[in-house]
């Protein structure tokens, strides 16, 4: 126990050193000196992984912040098609900042390639077509039927004065059916529960048909079943496979390799719940104080490695695995 | 728009559409991922597309019924108010005499009543529709054109004309229009220079600046004549509107309104959180400026002719939302129609209840506020309409 505490504090010291030394240096010089090293590291990491899932988003030595304070420091990772990439870390570690930078709402340094194209070279409209952003709680403040909320998703492909076509309305209907909200189509969005609202926004994401999905803590205001429902639906959207079962039982039993199939879409999800992240994400980017500490692969990494990495971020935790129908589920426990 | 929906509703009176009600709930609710990845235009899964079409038809028919009732009733009411407005006044007209060709009656009808009624209908429609736009874009149920200084700018402009320009109604109108646009121009210019989000603050600054100018002008005014006419202008009236004075302002107003109706979908998108709207492909900053510019143009063109008319822009959209409970195009239309009714009826009362003309704003709130209260009390306003 005391040994653990000692280890933890030494980790903290290391972090404090890195972050303070970075604070002293100008952002640009960090980019210049470290980026080459980091891209190299990212490339090496890639080459060891199966080649069939192309990279959707490649972030190399990204630094971003508000005004003069730098929140994110030199973060590098990849998000692959057909995979859910999780962003995990305590409050204030820079998860939302990272998403906001990727939406180009914050100035950033470093490079972000979306399907090979630099993010900063894209027009706003291109960006809107390629990225679907799902905020923690959707900021729809006025009454409107659920259908209209879903139809908003067509805006990036519609002309300024164009109205959604009949086919698009049908597709919106189909998306609502896919998330199990079809019977609410004409109901006022404001009268829905938080979980139903998230499902409705997910239906909007389906019609948007973007190649990268950015979700900001989609689970934060949801109850237990809705959390899993949202993540299962997200998995379906990302994989692009025909899933006609609503309880998700086929998901876990039939396809142990469910995280490796791809549909051309990738998701980057910030999550508060590490349990949920371990369950649904193919890779986990762990952030602490704006620095990426580790990138985990919950399917393949060993239990002690993951336990150590998660402890680094969350303080000491215990990670246990249970086997069921040949599939490993991970359980996170507070230190005992 | 309306005819399109009617066609859709007709096409979908397929037997299966009526059966939608009797389908077991679970069947409707069941997720169907075949539709999840169906292409936008093609029907990869014809069965699912067909059922979607039928339920869609069902929905459209239902909302169409809803739409027809409130909107058509308002249109009918507005038409009735128009006819009364043409006939009522200090010099009452009668349909019989007009049709008989009475020269005096025709003269009054053409030079006084038609312009006045036209201005009341168009002005009310414009104020109601613009009020809807302001409340939606600012996501504030109390938002009004004055938030970005248009009516205080127009008031200052009118006061300037009353004090310094040769006394003519046309000069006052033009000066008020210029004042309103100047105020809005400064507010929007400041906002776009300082970055989006500061538009309300810029509006408040310009509004108080214009109020100060107005105050100074009032101080220098001759209290007997000039001050009285400034006050009277500010209270608003459709008195003394003649045919020659309004064509330009009507044209500006109609153009602005057409723009707003065309941009309706974008206006609704602007009500969404800025980050979210931007990722939905809305150029938020530019679009907000454009929509606000159109809305204030509409308002400025009306109040520079009529003087400041209060409450319509506030009451009409709320009543419309309570009646439709969505923010679709018909809510915007209904806001306009209700605004038209309010102003037309208020104007009829303003010129008939007392020996002299009364300010029209008195009656717009007297008529509208009780109706709004009734809708809220009767539980019709259960859902949140504007946060």
């Amino acid at each position: 126990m005391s040994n653990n505490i000692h280890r933890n504090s030494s980790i903290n010291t290391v972090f404090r050193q890195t972050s303070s030394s970075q604070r002293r240096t100008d952002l640009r010089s960090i980019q210049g000196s470290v980026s080459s090293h980091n891209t190299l590291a990212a490339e090496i990491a890639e080459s060891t992984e199966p080649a069939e899932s192309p990279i959707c988003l490649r972030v190399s030595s990204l630094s971003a912040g508000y005004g003069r304070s730098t929140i994110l420091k030199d973060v590098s990772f990849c998000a692959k098609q057909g995979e859910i990439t999780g962003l995990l870390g305590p409050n204030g570690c820079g998860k939302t900042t990272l998403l906001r930078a990727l939406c180009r709402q914050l100035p950033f340094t470093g490079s972000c390639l979306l399907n090979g194209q630099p993010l900063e070279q894209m027009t706003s409209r291109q960006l809107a077509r390629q990225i679907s952003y799902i905020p923690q709680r959707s900021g729809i403040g006025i009454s409107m039927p659920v259908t209209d909320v879903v139809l908003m998703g067509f805006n990036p492909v519609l002309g300024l004065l164009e109205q959604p076509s009949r086919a698009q309305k049908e597709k919106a209907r189909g998306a609502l059916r896919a998330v199990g909200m079809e019977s609410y189509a004409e109901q006022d969005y404001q009268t829905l529960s938080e979980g139903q609202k998230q499902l409705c926004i997910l239906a909007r994401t389906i019609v948007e048909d973007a190649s990268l999905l950015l979700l900001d803590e989609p689970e934060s205001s949801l109850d237990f079943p809705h959390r899993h429902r949202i993540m299962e639906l997200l998995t379906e959207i990302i994989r692009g496979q025909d899933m006609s079962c609503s309880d998700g039982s086929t998901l876990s039993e039939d396809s142990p390799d469910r995280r490796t199939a791809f549909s051309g879409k990738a998701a980057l999800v910030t999550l508060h719940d590490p349990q949920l992240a371990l369950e649904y994400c193919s890779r986990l980017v762990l952030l602490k104080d704006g620095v990426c500490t580790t990138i985990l692969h919950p399917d393949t990494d060993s239990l002690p490695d993951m336990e150590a990495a998660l402890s680094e971020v969350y303080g000491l935790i215990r990670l246990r695995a249970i086997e069921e129908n040949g599939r490993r589920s991970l359980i996170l426990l507070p230190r005992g | 728009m309306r005819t399109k929906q009617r066609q859709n509703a007709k096409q979908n009176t397929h037997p299966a559409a009526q059966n939608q009600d009797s389908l077991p709930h679970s069947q409707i609710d069941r997720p169907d991922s075949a539709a999840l990845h169906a292409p936008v235009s093609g029907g990869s899964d014809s069965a699912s597309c067909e059922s979607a079409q039928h339920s869609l038809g069902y929905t459209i028919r239902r909302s169409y019924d809803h739409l027809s009732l409130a909107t058509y009733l308002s249109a009918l009411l507005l038409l009735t108010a128009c006819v009364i407005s043409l006939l009522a006044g200090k010099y009452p007209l009668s349909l019989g005499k007009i049709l008989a060709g009475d020269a005096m009656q025709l003269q009054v009808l053409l030079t006084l009543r038609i312009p006045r009624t036209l201005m009341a209908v168009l002005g009310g429609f414009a104020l109601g529709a613009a009020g809807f736009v302001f409340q939606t874009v600012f996501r504030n149920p109390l938002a009004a054109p004055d938030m970005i200084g248009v009516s205080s700018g127009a008031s200052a402009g009118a006061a300037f004309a009353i004090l310094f320009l040769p006394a003519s109604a046309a000069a006052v109108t033009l000066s008020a229009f210029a004042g309103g646009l100047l105020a809005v121009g400064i507010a929007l210019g400041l906002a776009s220079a300082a970055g989006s989000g500061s538009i309300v603050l810029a509006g408040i600054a310009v509004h108080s600046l214009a109020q100060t100018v107005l105050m100074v002008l009032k101080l220098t005014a001759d209290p007997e004549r000039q001050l009285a006419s400034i006050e009277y202008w500010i209270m608003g009236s459709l008195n003394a509107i003649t045919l020659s004075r309004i064509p330009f302002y009507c044209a500006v107003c109609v153009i602005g309104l057409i723009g707003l109706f065309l941009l309706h979908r974008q206006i609704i998108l602007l009500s969404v959180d800025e980050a979210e709207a931007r990722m939905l492909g809305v150029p938020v900053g530019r679009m907000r400026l454009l929509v606000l510019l159109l809305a204030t143009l509409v308002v400025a063109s009306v109040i520079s002719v009529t003087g400041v008319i209060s409450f319509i822009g506030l009451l009409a959209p709320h009543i419309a939302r309570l009646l439709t409970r969505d923010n679709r195009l018909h809510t915007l239309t209904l806001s306009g129609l209700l605004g038209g009714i309010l102003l037309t009826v208020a104007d009829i009362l303003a010129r008939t209840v007392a020996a002299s003309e009364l300010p029209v704003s008195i009656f717009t709130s007297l008529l509208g506020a009780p109706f709004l209260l009734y809708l809220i009390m009767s539980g019709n306003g259960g859902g949140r309409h504007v946060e």
Side-chain angles (χ1 to χ4, degrees):
Chain A
M1 190 65 182
S2 64
N3 185 27
N4 277 344
I5 291 168
H6 177 70
R7 212 190 90 202
N8 198 25
S9 67
S10 72
I11 288 167
N12 279 340
T13 344
V14 170
F15 271 112
R16 231 170 281 132
Q17 280 166 355
T18 18
S19 57
S20 61
S21 72
Q22 277 175 358
R23 231 172 272 136
R24 257 180 266 124
T25 337
D26 180 38
L27 259 179
R28 280 170 204 282
S29 69
I30 295 175
Q31 193 198 345
S33 60
V34 191
S35 66
S36 56
H37 163 74
N38 264 313
T39 5
L40 194 66
E43 265 158 31
I44 292 167
E46 265 156 45
S47 62
T48 59
E49 277 159 34
E52 75 265 27
S53 341
I55 289 162
C56 176
L57 175 75
R58 183 202 299 265
V59 174
S60 325
S61 56
L62 176 91
S63 298
Y66 303 87
R68 280 191 192 168
S69 66
T70 312
I71 308 277
L72 274 182
K73 296 157 202 125
D74 208 26
V75 174
S76 301
F77 66 93
C78 292
K80 293 197 168 184
Q81 293 182 358
E83 287 186 356
I84 300 178
T85 304
L87 281 172
L88 216 53
N91 283 336
C93 69
K95 300 190 294 278
T96 305
T97 310
L98 178 55
L99 290 195
R100 291 194 59 191
L102 291 175
C103 291
R104 287 207 315 214
Q105 287 164 30
L106 291 176
F108 62 86
T109 57
S111 110
C112 293
L113 295 178
L114 179 57
N115 295 320
Q117 205 184 352
L119 211 60
E120 57 271 24
Q121 284 176 17
M122 297 166 79
T123 65
S124 311
R125 203 167 163 81
Q126 281 175 326
L127 197 72
R129 280 184 193 181
Q130 294 212 28
I131 295 182
S132 173
Y133 170 64
I134 298 139
Q136 224 172 84
R137 281 161 182 244
S138 181
I140 295 174
I142 59 172
S143 286
M144 64 180 80
V146 167
T147 322
D148 290 21
V149 174
V150 179
L151 285 173
M152 282 181 175
F154 287 113
N155 191 57
V157 295
L158 285 176
L160 190 62
L161 306 178
E162 209 180 333
Q163 295 297 321
S165 70
R166 192 107 189 258
Q168 285 171 328
K169 285 180 180 165
E170 275 159 25
K171 206 190 169 202
R173 245 318 149 127
L176 277 175
R177 189 178 320 122
V179 300
M181 290 285 291
E182 197 191 11
S183 51
Y184 295 90
E186 282 304 303
Q187 200 170 317
D188 180 3
Y189 178 81
Q190 301 297 346
T191 62
L192 301 181
S193 73
E194 285 303 321
Q196 290 169 329
K197 281 182 183 173
Q198 279 285 14
L199 288 172
C200 172
I201 296 299
L202 216 57
R204 187 177 76 186
T205 298
I206 292 171
V207 306
E208 270 184 86
D209 206 24
S211 61
L212 177 64
L213 277 56
L214 299 178
L215 292 91
D216 193 2
E217 290 173 9
E219 94 287 18
S220 59
S221 57
L222 302 186
D223 58 13
F224 182 78
H226 271 108
R227 285 179 174 207
H228 287 274
R229 181 93 189 93
I230 290 279
M231 293 308 284
E232 274 161 14
L233 278 168
L234 190 62
T235 314
E236 287 176 25
I237 296 168
I238 296 300
R239 291 174 68 213
Q241 286 198 354
D242 185 25
M243 306 300 311
S244 47
C245 195
S246 66
D247 60 11
S249 57
T250 51
L251 264 182
S252 45
E253 283 162 18
D254 299 346
S255 45
D257 61 334
R258 61 176 175 155
R259 293 166 194 177
T260 52
F262 64 89
S263 70
K265 288 185 208 287
L268 183 61
V269 189
T270 72
L271 288 164
H272 252 317
D273 184 350
Q275 189 91 53
L276 211 62
L278 290 166
E279 177 78 18
Y280 292 98
C281 298
S282 311
R283 61 180 67 210
L284 289 175
V285 179
L286 300 189
L287 287 176
K288 190 179 183 187
D289 300 329
V291 178
C292 172
T293 59
T294 329
I295 295 177
L296 292 181
H297 302 82
D299 290 332
T300 50
D301 285 357
S302 77
L303 211 57
D305 283 355
M306 285 197 281
E307 190 174 68
L310 286 167
S311 295
E312 209 175 279
V313 172
Y314 286 115
L316 294 180
I317 50 103
R318 289 178 295 152
L319 196 62
R320 297 288 175 266
I322 43 168
E323 292 274 333
E324 224 175 23
N325 302 321
R327 207 176 72 80
R328 184 174 74 159
S329 293
L330 298 169
I331 297 174
L332 205 66
L333 297 165
R335 61 177 164 181
Chain B
M1 170 73 194
R2 220 174 289 150
T3 45
K4 205 167 164 189
Q5 282 188 336
R6 189 182 301 164
Q7 279 166 2
N8 285 350
K10 267 184 193 162
Q11 275 166 17
N12 282 286
T13 42
H14 190 277
Q18 271 108 25
N19 284 342
Q20 195 68 34
D21 274 328
S22 56
L23 276 178
H25 185 263
S26 62
Q27 207 176 335
I28 299 173
D29 231 1
R30 201 187 61 194
D32 179 354
S33 292
L36 200 89
H37 300 283
V40 179
S41 49
S44 70
D45 187 340
S46 63
S48 83
C49 271
E50 207 175 274
S51 82
Q53 218 167 348
H54 289 153
S55 47
L56 191 74
Y58 169 74
T59 326
I60 286 174
R61 202 144 34 87
R62 203 175 52 182
S63 60
Y64 164 74
D65 288 344
H66 196 59
L67 160 86
S68 61
L69 195 72
T71 312
Y72 288 138
L73 219 69
S74 317
L76 203 71
L77 217 64
L78 184 57
L79 214 67
T80 318
C82 269
V83 173
I84 298 171
S85 170
L86 286 175
L87 300 179
K90 286 273 130 13
Y91 183 83
L93 304 182
S94 80
L95 272 177
K97 281 185 191 166
I98 292 168
L99 290 176
D102 186 323
M104 185 62 186
Q105 294 255 334
L106 269 175
Q107 178 83 4
V108 171
L109 181 74
L110 288 178
T111 56
L112 293 176
R113 295 288 161 74
I114 287 183
R116 187 169 187 160
T117 305
L118 184 72
M119 204 58 219
V121 172
L122 184 65
F125 192 96
L127 292 175
F132 175 89
V133 172
F134 275 101
Q135 288 165 17
T136 309
V137 170
F138 285 121
R139 285 193 291 168
N140 181 345
L142 297 176
D146 219 30
M147 267 178 96
I148 53 177
V150 61
S151 47
S152 46
S155 302
F160 177 83
I162 289 167
L163 289 187
F164 302 115
L165 297 181
S168 92
V172 173
T173 307
L174 190 66
S175 175
F177 189 61
L181 286 194
L182 187 70
V184 172
I186 295 172
L188 295 185
L190 280 176
S192 59
S196 53
S198 54
I199 204 159
V200 175
L201 287 177
I204 289 172
V206 172
H207 173 67
S208 45
L209 212 65
Q211 287 289 349
T212 312
V213 172
L214 182 63
M215 234 187 291
V216 171
L217 288 174
K218 274 185 185 174
L219 270 177
T220 56
D222 154 32
E224 286 294 315
R225 286 181 311 106
Q226 291 172 335
L227 192 59
S229 46
I230 292 174
E231 286 299 343
Y232 192 76
W233 189 91
I234 287 171
M235 282 191 275
S237 167
L238 282 88
N239 195 13
I241 286 173
T242 53
L243 201 55
S244 60
R245 270 179 63 198
I246 59 171
F248 168 70
Y249 301 98
C250 283
V252 171
C253 183
V254 168
I255 290 168
L257 280 174
I258 291 171
L260 288 180
F261 271 83
L262 287 175
L263 287 172
H264 171 261
R265 204 168 55 79
Q266 303 295 322
I267 291 168
I268 296 301
L269 279 163
L270 281 178
S271 78
V272 178
D273 242 20
E274 191 167 336
E276 201 180 340
R278 192 166 289 145
M279 294 314 285
L280 286 168
V282 184
V284 176
R286 274 177 294 152
M287 187 58 68
R288 192 185 283 153
L289 281 183
L290 175 67
V291 165
L292 289 180
L293 196 67
L294 285 174
T296 45
L297 207 61
V298 161
V299 172
S301 65
V302 173
I303 63 173
S304 50
V305 176
T306 63
V308 179
I309 295 171
S310 347
F311 311 117
I312 288 184
L314 203 59
L315 292 171
H318 282 290
I319 296 171
R321 279 203 202 87
L322 286 172
L323 289 172
T324 62
R325 296 219 258 167
D326 58 32
N327 283 285
R328 288 183 166 162
L329 195 65
H330 62 213
T331 314
L332 179 58
T333 315
L334 195 60
S335 298
L337 288 174
L338 289 169
I341 294 171
L342 267 178
L343 188 53
T344 312
V345 176
D347 181 47
I348 294 169
L349 293 175
R351 64 178 122 122
T352 49
V353 293
S356 64
E357 283 257 353
L358 295 172
V360 76
S361 290
I362 296 175
F363 296 99
T364 52
S365 62
L366 269 184
L367 288 168
F371 189 52
L372 181 63
L373 282 176
Y374 162 74
L375 282 178
I376 296 168
M377 301 293 226
S378 67
N380 215 340
R384 274 190 310 169
H385 25 284
V386 179
E387 209 163 55

